[in-house]
Amino acid sequence: MHHTPSCRLDIAIQSKGHCPCGLGVFFPLLIYFSIQGCDGSILLDSSGSIISEKNSVPNRNSARGFDVVDEIKSAVEKECPHTVSCADILAIAARDSSVLTGGPSWEVPLGRRDSRGASLSGSNNNIPAPNNTFQTILTKFKLKGLNIVDLVALSGSHTIGDSRCTSFRQRLYNQSGNGRPDYSLDQSYAAKLRTRCPRSGGDQNLFFLDFVSPTKFDNSYFKNILASKGLLSSDQVLYTKNEASMDLVKQYAANNKLFFEQFAQSMIKMANISPLTGSRGEIRKNCRKVNG
């Protein structure tokens, strides 16, 4: 892929002055694990034959900030019409979300085109779930050409953003279906979580993924995991279920620079998953619908 000339996409995004996509940096994890690949399919609303990926189990009531993408697209279209794809906007927005919150920067290859369809089933099946086993999560990453280093580094994007009560409730009350909590979760932390995440109700109550520095991109996420205070089961299993993964968690907790360097490399790798280029796909005028 190449870099789109003259269209000051980076300035258009940074001028918004806040994190594009609402969910901060981990929003791209939802985007790129679409079965479609890196093609902006998640931005499509339901229309005609298209069933939006926004309605999938992992995305519904979770993926948000689409209005910010609309604003960016509008600004870019005024500057250079029908030139910059929505998929490229998402890739740049991911990078700038990191930078704006104190995280690493990286060179983003551009030239993606947008899909003309979405895959609800792909979104339901391919996005790692918060209660998946370590091996299931790793397998889903490997199917996209990502390895265990990418898995741990990209999970570090949970240094920013929120999670809903419904995504980790089982850890508090019924981790293994036996009516007992997850004892790999620090119990004083668990007690605090229970005050706003009861056995029933409060599904949409939001909790910081990284309670130490929730608006700063740093390696606190990994330090939390070492202290048994990873919010999601999918966070904590990085330390408890695999020796290689455990070692990486320790490395990133001890060395913020190393984490930043690997995160940037893994983001570039993830952003190159099955992009549409050349004559495939299209450059949407409106990110929410296909052209014409």
Coordinates of all heavy atoms in Angstrom, one line a residue, residues 169-265:
R169 N -19.2 -10.0 34.5 CA -20.0 -10.4 35.6 C -19.7 -11.8 36.0 O -19.6 -12.1 37.2 CB -21.5 -10.2 35.3 CG -22.4 -10.8 36.4 CD -23.8 -10.7 36.0 NE -24.4 -9.4 36.2 CZ -24.9 -8.7 35.2 NH1 -25.0 -9.1 34.0 NH2 -25.4 -7.5 35.5
Q170 N -19.5 -12.7 35.1 CA -19.2 -14.1 35.5 C -18.0 -14.3 36.4 O -18.0 -15.2 37.2 CB -19.1 -15.0 34.2 CG -17.7 -15.0 33.6 CD -17.3 -13.8 32.8 OE1 -18.2 -12.9 32.5 NE2 -16.1 -13.7 32.5
R171 N -17.0 -13.4 36.3 CA -15.9 -13.5 37.1 C -16.2 -13.2 38.6 O -15.5 -13.7 39.5 CB -14.8 -12.5 36.7 CG -14.3 -12.7 35.3 CD -13.0 -11.9 35.1 NE -11.9 -12.5 35.8 CZ -10.7 -11.8 36.1 NH1 -10.6 -10.6 35.7 NH2 -9.8 -12.5 36.7
L172 N -17.2 -12.4 38.8 CA -17.6 -12.0 40.1 C -18.5 -13.0 40.9 O -18.5 -13.0 42.1 CB -18.3 -10.6 40.1 CG -17.6 -9.5 39.4 CD1 -18.4 -8.2 39.4 CD2 -16.2 -9.2 40.1
Y173 N -19.2 -13.8 40.1 CA -20.2 -14.6 40.7 C -20.2 -16.1 40.3 O -20.6 -17.0 41.0 CB -21.6 -14.0 40.4 CG -21.8 -12.6 40.9 CD1 -21.7 -11.6 39.9 CD2 -22.0 -12.3 42.2 CE1 -21.9 -10.2 40.4 CE2 -22.1 -11.0 42.6 CZ -22.1 -10.0 41.7 OH -22.2 -8.7 42.1
N174 N -19.8 -16.4 39.0 CA -20.0 -17.7 38.5 C -19.1 -18.0 37.4 O -19.5 -18.3 36.2 CB -21.5 -17.8 38.0 CG -21.9 -19.3 37.7 OD1 -21.3 -20.2 38.2 ND2 -22.8 -19.4 36.8
Q175 N -17.8 -18.0 37.7 CA -16.8 -18.1 36.6 C -16.8 -19.4 35.9 O -16.7 -19.4 34.6 CB -15.4 -17.9 37.2 CG -14.2 -18.1 36.3 CD -14.1 -17.1 35.2 OE1 -14.9 -16.1 35.1 NE2 -13.1 -17.2 34.3
S176 N -17.0 -20.5 36.6 CA -16.9 -21.8 35.9 C -18.2 -22.6 35.9 O -18.2 -23.8 35.7 CB -15.8 -22.7 36.6 OG -14.6 -22.0 36.6
G177 N -19.3 -21.8 36.1 CA -20.6 -22.5 36.1 C -20.9 -23.2 37.4 O -21.9 -24.0 37.5
N178 N -20.1 -23.0 38.4 CA -20.3 -23.7 39.7 C -20.8 -22.7 40.8 O -20.8 -23.1 42.0 CB -19.1 -24.4 40.1 CG -17.9 -23.4 40.3 OD1 -18.0 -22.2 40.1 ND2 -16.7 -24.0 40.6
G179 N -21.2 -21.5 40.4 CA -21.7 -20.5 41.4 C -20.6 -19.9 42.2 O -20.9 -19.2 43.2
R180 N -19.3 -20.0 41.8 CA -18.2 -19.5 42.5 C -17.5 -18.4 41.7 O -17.4 -18.5 40.5 CB -17.2 -20.6 43.0 CG -17.8 -21.6 43.9 CD -16.8 -22.6 44.3 NE -17.3 -23.6 45.2 CZ -16.7 -24.6 45.7 NH1 -15.4 -24.8 45.4 NH2 -17.3 -25.5 46.5
P181 N -16.9 -17.4 42.4 CA -16.2 -16.3 41.6 C -14.9 -16.8 41.1 O -14.4 -17.9 41.4 CB -16.0 -15.3 42.7 CG -16.0 -16.0 44.0 CD -16.9 -17.1 43.8
D182 N -14.3 -16.0 40.3 CA -13.0 -16.3 39.7 C -11.9 -15.9 40.7 O -11.7 -14.7 41.0 CB -12.8 -15.5 38.4 CG -11.4 -15.8 37.7 OD1 -10.6 -16.5 38.3 OD2 -11.2 -15.2 36.6
Y183 N -11.2 -16.8 41.3 CA -10.3 -16.5 42.4 C -8.9 -16.0 41.8 O -8.0 -15.7 42.6 CB -10.1 -17.7 43.3 CG -11.3 -18.0 44.1 CD1 -12.1 -19.1 43.8 CD2 -11.7 -17.1 45.1 CE1 -13.3 -19.4 44.6 CE2 -12.9 -17.4 45.8 CZ -13.7 -18.5 45.6 OH -14.8 -18.7 46.3
S184 N -8.8 -16.0 40.5 CA -7.6 -15.3 39.9 C -7.7 -13.8 39.9 O -6.8 -13.1 39.6 CB -7.3 -15.8 38.5 OG -8.3 -15.3 37.6
L185 N -8.9 -13.3 40.3 CA -9.2 -11.9 40.4 C -9.0 -11.5 41.9 O -9.6 -12.1 42.8 CB -10.6 -11.6 40.0 CG -11.1 -10.1 40.0 CD1 -10.3 -9.2 39.1 CD2 -12.6 -10.0 39.7
D186 N -8.2 -10.4 42.1 CA -7.9 -9.9 43.4 C -9.3 -9.7 44.1 O -10.2 -9.0 43.6 CB -7.1 -8.6 43.4 CG -6.9 -8.0 44.7 OD1 -6.0 -8.3 45.4 OD2 -7.8 -7.1 45.1
Q187 N -9.5 -10.3 45.3 CA -10.8 -10.3 45.9 C -11.2 -8.9 46.5 O -12.4 -8.6 46.5 CB -10.9 -11.3 47.0 CG -10.8 -12.7 46.4 CD -11.8 -13.0 45.4 OE1 -13.0 -13.1 45.6 NE2 -11.4 -13.2 44.1
S188 N -10.3 -8.0 46.9 CA -10.7 -6.7 47.3 C -11.1 -5.9 46.1 O -12.1 -5.1 46.2 CB -9.5 -6.0 48.0 OG -8.4 -5.8 47.1
Y189 N -10.5 -6.1 45.0 CA -10.9 -5.4 43.7 C -12.2 -5.9 43.3 O -13.1 -5.2 42.9 CB -9.8 -5.7 42.6 CG -10.1 -5.1 41.3 CD1 -10.5 -3.7 41.2 CD2 -9.8 -5.8 40.1 CE1 -10.8 -3.2 39.9 CE2 -10.1 -5.2 38.9 CZ -10.5 -3.9 38.8 OH -10.7 -3.4 37.5
A190 N -12.4 -7.2 43.4 CA -13.7 -7.9 43.0 C -14.9 -7.3 43.9 O -16.0 -7.0 43.4 CB -13.6 -9.4 43.2
A191 N -14.6 -7.1 45.1 CA -15.6 -6.5 46.0 C -16.1 -5.1 45.6 O -17.3 -4.8 45.6 CB -15.1 -6.5 47.5
K192 N -15.1 -4.3 45.2 CA -15.4 -3.0 44.7 C -16.3 -3.1 43.4 O -17.2 -2.3 43.2 CB -14.1 -2.2 44.4 CG -13.4 -1.8 45.6 CD -12.1 -1.0 45.3 CE -11.4 -0.6 46.6 NZ -10.1 0.1 46.2
L193 N -15.9 -4.0 42.5 CA -16.6 -4.2 41.3 C -18.1 -4.6 41.5 O -19.0 -4.2 40.8 CB -15.9 -5.2 40.4 CG -14.5 -4.8 39.9 CD1 -13.9 -6.0 39.1 CD2 -14.6 -3.6 38.9
R194 N -18.3 -5.4 42.5 CA -19.7 -5.9 42.8 C -20.6 -4.8 43.2 O -21.8 -4.9 43.1 CB -19.6 -7.0 43.9 CG -19.0 -8.3 43.5 CD -19.2 -9.4 44.5 NE -18.4 -10.6 44.2 CZ -17.2 -10.8 44.8 NH1 -16.7 -10.0 45.7 NH2 -16.5 -11.9 44.4
T195 N -20.1 -3.7 43.8 CA -21.0 -2.6 44.2 C -21.7 -2.0 43.1 O -22.8 -1.4 43.3 CB -20.1 -1.5 45.0 OG1 -19.2 -0.9 44.0 CG2 -19.4 -2.1 46.2
R196 N -21.2 -2.1 41.9 CA -21.8 -1.5 40.7 C -22.1 -2.5 39.6 O -22.7 -2.2 38.6 CB -21.0 -0.4 40.1 CG -20.9 0.9 41.0 CD -20.2 2.0 40.3 NE -20.8 2.3 39.0 CZ -20.1 2.2 37.9 NH1 -18.9 1.8 37.9 NH2 -20.7 2.5 36.7
C197 N -21.8 -3.8 39.9 CA -22.0 -4.9 38.9 C -22.7 -6.0 39.7 O -22.0 -7.0 40.1 CB -20.8 -5.3 38.2 SG -21.0 -6.5 36.9
P198 N -24.0 -5.9 40.0 CA -24.7 -6.9 40.8 C -24.9 -8.2 40.0 O -24.7 -8.3 38.8 CB -26.0 -6.2 41.1 CG -26.2 -5.3 40.0 CD -24.9 -4.8 39.5
R199 N -25.5 -9.2 40.6 CA -25.7 -10.5 40.0 C -26.7 -10.3 38.8 O -26.6 -11.0 37.8 CB -26.3 -11.5 40.9 CG -25.4 -12.1 41.9 CD -26.0 -13.1 42.9 NE -25.1 -13.6 43.8 CZ -24.3 -14.7 43.6 NH1 -24.4 -15.3 42.4 NH2 -23.5 -15.1 44.5
S200 N -27.6 -9.4 38.9 CA -28.6 -9.1 37.8 C -28.8 -7.6 37.8 O -28.8 -6.9 38.8 CB -29.9 -9.8 38.0 OG -30.5 -9.4 39.2
G201 N -29.0 -7.1 36.6 CA -29.2 -5.6 36.4 C -27.9 -4.9 36.2 O -26.8 -5.5 36.5
G202 N -27.9 -3.7 35.8 CA -26.7 -2.9 35.6 C -25.8 -3.4 34.5 O -24.6 -3.1 34.5
D203 N -26.4 -4.1 33.5 CA -25.6 -4.7 32.4 C -24.7 -3.6 31.7 O -23.6 -3.9 31.4 CB -26.5 -5.3 31.4 CG -27.0 -6.6 31.8 OD1 -26.8 -7.0 33.0 OD2 -27.7 -7.3 31.0
Q204 N -25.2 -2.4 31.6 CA -24.5 -1.4 30.8 C -23.6 -0.5 31.6 O -23.0 0.4 31.1 CB -25.5 -0.6 30.0 CG -26.5 -1.4 29.1 CD -25.8 -2.4 28.2 OE1 -24.8 -2.1 27.6 NE2 -26.4 -3.6 28.1
N205 N -23.6 -0.7 32.9 CA -22.7 0.1 33.8 C -21.2 -0.1 33.3 O -20.8 -1.2 33.1 CB -22.8 -0.4 35.3 CG -24.1 0.0 35.9 OD1 -24.9 0.8 35.3 ND2 -24.4 -0.5 37.1
L206 N -20.6 1.1 33.2 CA -19.2 1.0 32.6 C -18.1 1.1 33.7 O -18.3 1.7 34.8 CB -19.0 2.2 31.7 CG -19.9 2.3 30.4 CD1 -19.6 3.6 29.6 CD2 -19.6 1.1 29.5
F207 N -17.0 0.4 33.5 CA -15.9 0.3 34.4 C -14.6 0.5 33.6 O -14.5 0.0 32.4 CB -15.9 -1.1 35.1 CG -17.0 -1.4 35.9 CD1 -18.3 -1.7 35.4 CD2 -16.9 -1.3 37.3 CE1 -19.4 -2.0 36.2 CE2 -18.0 -1.5 38.1 CZ -19.3 -1.9 37.5
F208 N -13.7 1.2 34.1 CA -12.4 1.4 33.5 C -11.7 0.1 33.3 O -11.6 -0.7 34.2 CB -11.5 2.3 34.3 CG -12.0 3.7 34.4 CD1 -12.0 4.4 35.6 CD2 -12.3 4.4 33.2 CE1 -12.5 5.7 35.7 CE2 -12.8 5.8 33.3 CZ -12.8 6.4 34.6
L209 N -11.2 -0.2 32.1 CA -10.4 -1.4 31.8 C -9.0 -1.3 32.6 O -8.5 -2.3 33.0 CB -10.1 -1.5 30.3 CG -11.3 -2.1 29.5 CD1 -11.2 -1.7 28.1 CD2 -11.4 -3.6 29.7
D210 N -8.5 -0.1 32.7 CA -7.3 0.2 33.5 C -7.7 1.3 34.5 O -7.7 2.4 34.3 CB -6.2 0.7 32.6 CG -5.0 1.2 33.3 OD1 -4.9 1.0 34.6 OD2 -4.1 1.8 32.7
F211 N -8.0 0.8 35.8 CA -8.4 1.7 36.8 C -7.3 2.7 37.3 O -7.6 3.7 38.0 CB -9.1 1.0 38.0 CG -8.1 0.2 38.8 CD1 -7.5 0.7 39.9 CD2 -7.7 -1.1 38.4 CE1 -6.6 0.0 40.6 CE2 -6.8 -1.8 39.1 CZ -6.2 -1.3 40.2
V212 N -6.1 2.3 37.1 CA -5.0 3.1 37.6 C -4.8 4.4 36.8 O -4.6 5.5 37.3 CB -3.6 2.3 37.5 CG1 -2.4 3.2 37.9 CG2 -3.7 1.1 38.5
S213 N -4.8 4.3 35.4 CA -4.6 5.5 34.6 C -5.5 5.3 33.4 O -5.0 5.1 32.3 CB -3.1 5.6 34.2 OG -2.6 4.4 33.6
P214 N -6.8 5.5 33.6 CA -7.8 5.1 32.5 C -7.8 6.0 31.3 O -8.3 5.6 30.2 CB -9.1 5.2 33.2 CG -8.9 6.1 34.4 CD -7.5 5.9 34.8
T215 N -7.2 7.2 31.4 CA -7.2 8.1 30.2 C -5.8 8.3 29.6 O -5.5 9.1 28.8 CB -7.8 9.5 30.5 OG1 -7.0 10.1 31.6 CG2 -9.2 9.3 31.0
K216 N -4.8 7.5 30.1 CA -3.4 7.6 29.7 C -3.0 6.3 29.1 O -3.1 5.2 29.7 CB -2.5 8.0 30.8 CG -1.1 8.2 30.4 CD -0.2 8.6 31.7 CE 1.3 8.8 31.2 NZ 2.1 9.1 32.4
F217 N -2.4 6.4 27.9 CA -1.8 5.2 27.3 C -0.5 4.9 27.9 O 0.5 5.6 27.6 CB -1.7 5.4 25.8 CG -1.5 4.1 25.0 CD1 -2.5 3.5 24.3 CD2 -0.3 3.5 25.0 CE1 -2.3 2.3 23.6 CE2 -0.1 2.3 24.3 CZ -1.1 1.7 23.6
D218 N -0.4 3.8 28.7 CA 0.8 3.4 29.3 C 0.8 1.9 29.6 O -0.1 1.2 29.1 CB 1.1 4.2 30.6 CG -0.1 4.1 31.6 OD1 -0.8 3.1 31.5 OD2 -0.2 5.0 32.5
N219 N 1.7 1.4 30.4 CA 1.8 0.0 30.6 C 1.1 -0.4 32.0 O 1.4 -1.5 32.5 CB 3.2 -0.5 30.6 CG 4.1 0.1 31.7 OD1 3.8 1.1 32.3 ND2 5.3 -0.5 31.9
S220 N 0.3 0.5 32.5 CA -0.4 0.1 33.8 C -1.3 -1.1 33.6 O -1.4 -1.9 34.6 CB -1.3 1.3 34.2 OG -0.5 2.4 34.7
Y221 N -1.8 -1.3 32.4 CA -2.6 -2.5 32.2 C -1.9 -3.8 32.6 O -2.5 -4.7 33.2 CB -3.0 -2.5 30.7 CG -3.6 -3.8 30.2 CD1 -4.9 -4.2 30.4 CD2 -2.7 -4.7 29.5 CE1 -5.4 -5.3 29.9 CE2 -3.3 -5.9 29.0 CZ -4.6 -6.2 29.2 OH -5.1 -7.4 28.7
F222 N -0.6 -3.9 32.2 CA 0.1 -5.1 32.5 C 0.5 -5.2 34.0 O 0.5 -6.2 34.5 CB 1.4 -5.1 31.6 CG 1.1 -5.2 30.1 CD1 1.3 -4.1 29.3 CD2 0.7 -6.4 29.6 CE1 1.0 -4.1 28.0 CE2 0.4 -6.4 28.2 CZ 0.5 -5.3 27.4
K223 N 0.8 -4.0 34.6 CA 1.0 -4.0 36.0 C -0.2 -4.5 36.8 O -0.1 -5.2 37.8 CB 1.4 -2.6 36.5 CG 2.8 -2.2 35.9 CD 3.1 -0.7 36.3 CE 4.4 -0.3 35.7 NZ 4.7 1.1 36.0
N224 N -1.4 -4.1 36.3 CA -2.7 -4.5 36.9 C -2.8 -6.0 36.8 O -3.2 -6.7 37.8 CB -3.9 -3.9 36.2 CG -3.9 -2.4 36.4 OD1 -3.3 -1.8 37.3 ND2 -4.7 -1.7 35.6
I225 N -2.5 -6.6 35.7 CA -2.6 -8.0 35.5 C -1.6 -8.8 36.5 O -2.0 -9.8 37.1 CB -2.2 -8.4 34.1 CG1 -3.3 -7.9 33.1 CG2 -2.1 -9.9 33.9 CD1 -3.1 -8.2 31.6
L226 N -0.4 -8.2 36.7 CA 0.5 -8.8 37.6 C 0.0 -8.8 39.0 O 0.2 -9.7 39.9 CB 1.9 -8.1 37.6 CG 2.7 -8.2 36.4 CD1 4.0 -7.5 36.5 CD2 3.0 -9.7 36.0
A227 N -0.9 -7.8 39.3 CA -1.5 -7.7 40.7 C -2.8 -8.4 40.7 O -3.6 -8.2 41.7 CB -1.7 -6.2 41.0
S228 N -3.2 -9.2 39.7 CA -4.4 -9.9 39.7 C -5.6 -9.0 39.6 O -6.7 -9.3 40.1 CB -4.6 -10.9 40.9 OG -3.6 -11.8 40.9
K229 N -5.4 -7.9 38.9 CA -6.5 -6.9 38.8 C -6.8 -6.5 37.3 O -7.1 -5.4 37.0 CB -6.1 -5.6 39.5 CG -6.0 -5.8 41.1 CD -5.7 -4.6 41.8 CE -5.6 -4.8 43.3 NZ -5.2 -3.6 44.1
G230 N -6.6 -7.5 36.4 CA -7.1 -7.4 35.1 C -8.6 -7.5 35.1 O -9.1 -8.4 35.7
L231 N -9.3 -6.6 34.5 CA -10.8 -6.6 34.6 C -11.4 -7.8 33.9 O -12.3 -8.4 34.5 CB -11.3 -5.3 34.0 CG -12.8 -5.1 34.1 CD1 -13.3 -5.1 35.6 CD2 -13.3 -3.8 33.4
L232 N -11.1 -8.0 32.7 CA -11.7 -9.1 31.9 C -11.0 -10.4 32.1 O -9.8 -10.4 32.3 CB -11.7 -8.7 30.4 CG -12.4 -7.4 30.0 CD1 -12.3 -7.2 28.5 CD2 -13.8 -7.3 30.5
S233 N -11.7 -11.5 32.0 CA -11.1 -12.8 32.1 C -10.0 -12.9 31.0 O -8.9 -13.5 31.2 CB -12.1 -13.9 31.9 OG -11.5 -15.2 31.9
S234 N -10.3 -12.3 29.8 CA -9.4 -12.4 28.6 C -8.1 -11.6 28.9 O -7.1 -11.8 28.2 CB -10.1 -11.9 27.4 OG -10.6 -10.6 27.6
D235 N -8.2 -10.6 29.9 CA -7.0 -9.9 30.3 C -6.1 -10.8 31.2 O -4.9 -11.0 31.0 CB -7.3 -8.6 31.0 CG -8.1 -7.6 30.2 OD1 -7.8 -7.5 29.0 OD2 -8.9 -6.9 30.7
Q236 N -6.8 -11.4 32.2 CA -6.0 -12.1 33.3 C -5.4 -13.4 32.7 O -4.3 -13.8 33.2 CB -6.9 -12.4 34.5 CG -6.1 -12.7 35.7 CD -5.2 -11.5 36.2 OE1 -5.7 -10.4 36.2 NE2 -4.0 -11.8 36.5
V237 N -6.1 -14.0 31.8 CA -5.5 -15.3 31.3 C -4.2 -15.1 30.5 O -3.5 -16.1 30.4 CB -6.5 -16.0 30.3 CG1 -7.8 -16.5 31.1 CG2 -6.9 -15.2 29.1
L238 N -3.9 -13.9 30.1 CA -2.6 -13.7 29.5 C -1.5 -14.0 30.5 O -0.3 -14.3 30.1 CB -2.5 -12.2 29.1 CG -3.5 -11.7 28.1 CD1 -3.2 -10.2 27.8 CD2 -3.4 -12.5 26.8
Y239 N -1.8 -13.9 31.8 CA -0.8 -14.2 32.8 C -0.9 -15.6 33.5 O 0.1 -16.1 34.0 CB -0.9 -13.1 33.9 CG 0.2 -13.1 34.9 CD1 1.5 -12.8 34.6 CD2 0.0 -13.5 36.3 CE1 2.6 -12.9 35.5 CE2 1.0 -13.5 37.2 CZ 2.3 -13.2 36.8 OH 3.3 -13.3 37.8
T240 N -2.1 -16.1 33.4 CA -2.3 -17.3 34.2 C -2.4 -18.6 33.4 O -2.3 -19.7 34.0 CB -3.6 -17.2 35.0 OG1 -4.7 -17.1 34.1 CG2 -3.6 -16.1 36.0
K241 N -2.5 -18.5 32.1 CA -2.7 -19.7 31.3 C -1.7 -20.1 30.3 O -1.8 -21.2 29.6 CB -4.1 -19.6 30.5 CG -5.3 -19.4 31.4 CD -5.5 -20.6 32.4 CE -6.7 -20.4 33.2 NZ -6.9 -21.6 34.1
N242 N -0.6 -19.3 30.1 CA 0.4 -19.6 29.1 C 1.7 -19.0 29.6 O 1.8 -17.8 29.9 CB 0.0 -19.1 27.8 CG 1.0 -19.4 26.7 OD1 2.0 -18.7 26.5 ND2 0.7 -20.4 25.9
E243 N 2.8 -19.8 29.5 CA 4.1 -19.4 30.1 C 4.7 -18.3 29.2 O 5.2 -17.3 29.7 CB 5.0 -20.6 30.1 CG 6.3 -20.2 30.9 CD 7.2 -21.5 31.1 OE1 6.6 -22.6 31.1 OE2 8.4 -21.3 31.4
A244 N 4.6 -18.4 27.9 CA 5.2 -17.4 27.0 C 4.4 -16.1 27.1 O 5.1 -15.0 27.1 CB 5.1 -17.9 25.5
S245 N 3.1 -16.2 27.2 CA 2.3 -15.0 27.4 C 2.6 -14.3 28.8 O 2.7 -13.1 28.9 CB 0.8 -15.3 27.3 OG 0.0 -14.2 27.6
M246 N 2.8 -15.1 29.8 CA 3.1 -14.6 31.1 C 4.4 -13.8 31.1 O 4.5 -12.7 31.7 CB 3.3 -15.8 32.1 CG 3.7 -15.4 33.5 SD 4.2 -16.8 34.6 CE 2.7 -17.6 34.8
D247 N 5.4 -14.4 30.4 CA 6.7 -13.7 30.3 C 6.6 -12.3 29.6 O 7.2 -11.4 30.0 CB 7.7 -14.6 29.5 CG 9.1 -14.0 29.5 OD1 9.6 -13.8 30.6 OD2 9.6 -13.8 28.4
L248 N 5.7 -12.3 28.5 CA 5.5 -11.0 27.8 C 4.9 -10.0 28.7 O 5.2 -8.8 28.7 CB 4.7 -11.3 26.5 CG 5.5 -12.0 25.4 CD1 4.5 -12.5 24.4 CD2 6.5 -11.1 24.8
V249 N 3.9 -10.4 29.5 CA 3.2 -9.5 30.4 C 4.2 -8.9 31.4 O 4.2 -7.7 31.6 CB 2.1 -10.2 31.2 CG1 1.6 -9.4 32.3 CG2 0.9 -10.6 30.3
K250 N 5.1 -9.8 31.9 CA 6.1 -9.3 32.8 C 7.1 -8.3 32.1 O 7.4 -7.3 32.7 CB 6.9 -10.5 33.4 CG 6.2 -11.4 34.3 CD 7.1 -12.5 34.7 CE 6.4 -13.5 35.7 NZ 7.2 -14.6 36.1
Q251 N 7.4 -8.6 30.9 CA 8.3 -7.7 30.2 C 7.7 -6.3 29.9 O 8.4 -5.3 30.2 CB 8.7 -8.3 28.8 CG 9.6 -9.5 28.9 CD 10.0 -10.0 27.5 OE1 10.4 -9.2 26.6 NE2 9.9 -11.3 27.3
Y252 N 6.5 -6.3 29.5 CA 5.8 -5.0 29.2 C 5.5 -4.2 30.5 O 5.5 -3.0 30.5 CB 4.5 -5.3 28.4 CG 4.8 -5.9 27.0 CD1 3.8 -6.7 26.5 CD2 5.9 -5.7 26.4 CE1 4.0 -7.3 25.2 CE2 6.2 -6.3 25.1 CZ 5.2 -7.1 24.6 OH 5.4 -7.7 23.3
A253 N 5.2 -5.0 31.6 CA 5.0 -4.3 32.9 C 6.2 -3.6 33.3 O 6.2 -2.5 34.0 CB 4.5 -5.3 33.9
A254 N 7.4 -4.2 33.0 CA 8.7 -3.7 33.5 C 9.3 -2.6 32.6 O 10.1 -1.8 33.0 CB 9.7 -4.8 33.7
N255 N 8.8 -2.6 31.3 CA 9.5 -1.8 30.3 C 8.4 -1.2 29.4 O 8.0 -1.8 28.4 CB 10.5 -2.7 29.5 CG 11.4 -1.9 28.6 OD1 11.0 -0.8 28.1 ND2 12.6 -2.4 28.3
N256 N 8.1 0.1 29.7 CA 7.0 0.8 28.9 C 7.5 1.0 27.5 O 6.7 0.9 26.5 CB 6.7 2.1 29.6 CG 5.5 2.8 29.0 OD1 4.4 2.2 29.1 ND2 5.6 3.9 28.4
K257 N 8.8 1.3 27.3 CA 9.3 1.6 26.0 C 9.2 0.3 25.1 O 8.8 0.4 23.9 CB 10.8 2.0 26.1 CG 11.5 2.3 24.7 CD 12.9 2.9 25.0 CE 13.5 3.3 23.7 NZ 13.9 2.1 22.9
L258 N 9.5 -0.8 25.7 CA 9.4 -2.1 24.9 C 7.9 -2.3 24.5 O 7.6 -2.7 23.4 CB 9.9 -3.3 25.8 CG 9.7 -4.6 25.1 CD1 10.6 -4.8 23.9 CD2 10.1 -5.7 26.2
F259 N 7.0 -2.1 25.4 CA 5.6 -2.2 25.1 C 5.2 -1.3 23.9 O 4.5 -1.7 23.0 CB 4.7 -1.9 26.3 CG 3.3 -1.7 26.1 CD1 2.5 -2.6 25.2 CD2 2.6 -0.6 26.6 CE1 1.2 -2.3 25.0 CE2 1.3 -0.4 26.3 CZ 0.6 -1.2 25.5
F260 N 5.6 0.0 24.0 CA 5.2 0.9 23.0 C 5.7 0.5 21.6 O 5.0 0.5 20.6 CB 5.8 2.3 23.3 CG 4.9 3.1 24.2 CD1 4.0 2.5 25.1 CD2 5.1 4.5 24.3 CE1 3.2 3.3 25.9 CE2 4.3 5.3 25.1 CZ 3.3 4.7 25.9
E261 N 7.0 0.0 21.6 CA 7.6 -0.4 20.3 C 6.9 -1.6 19.7 O 6.6 -1.6 18.5 CB 9.1 -0.8 20.5 CG 9.9 0.5 20.8 CD 11.4 0.0 21.2 OE1 11.6 -1.2 21.4 OE2 12.2 0.9 21.3
Q262 N 6.5 -2.6 20.5 CA 5.8 -3.8 20.0 C 4.4 -3.4 19.7 O 3.9 -4.0 18.7 CB 5.9 -4.9 21.0 CG 5.3 -6.2 20.5 CD 5.9 -6.7 19.2 OE1 7.2 -6.8 19.2 NE2 5.2 -6.9 18.2
F263 N 3.7 -2.6 20.4 CA 2.4 -2.2 20.1 C 2.3 -1.6 18.8 O 1.4 -1.9 17.9 CB 1.8 -1.3 21.2 CG 0.4 -0.9 21.0 CD1 -0.7 -1.7 21.4 CD2 0.0 0.3 20.3 CE1 -2.0 -1.4 21.2 CE2 -1.3 0.6 20.1 CZ -2.3 -0.2 20.5
A264 N 3.2 -0.7 18.5 CA 3.2 0.0 17.2 C 3.4 -1.0 16.0 O 2.7 -1.0 15.0 CB 4.3 1.1 17.1
Q265 N 4.4 -1.9 16.2 CA 4.6 -3.0 15.2 C 3.4 -3.8 15.0 O 3.0 -4.1 13.8 CB 5.8 -3.8 15.6 CG 7.1 -3.1 15.6 CD 8.3 -4.0 16.1 OE1 8.2 -5.2 15.9 NE2 9.3 -3.4 16.7

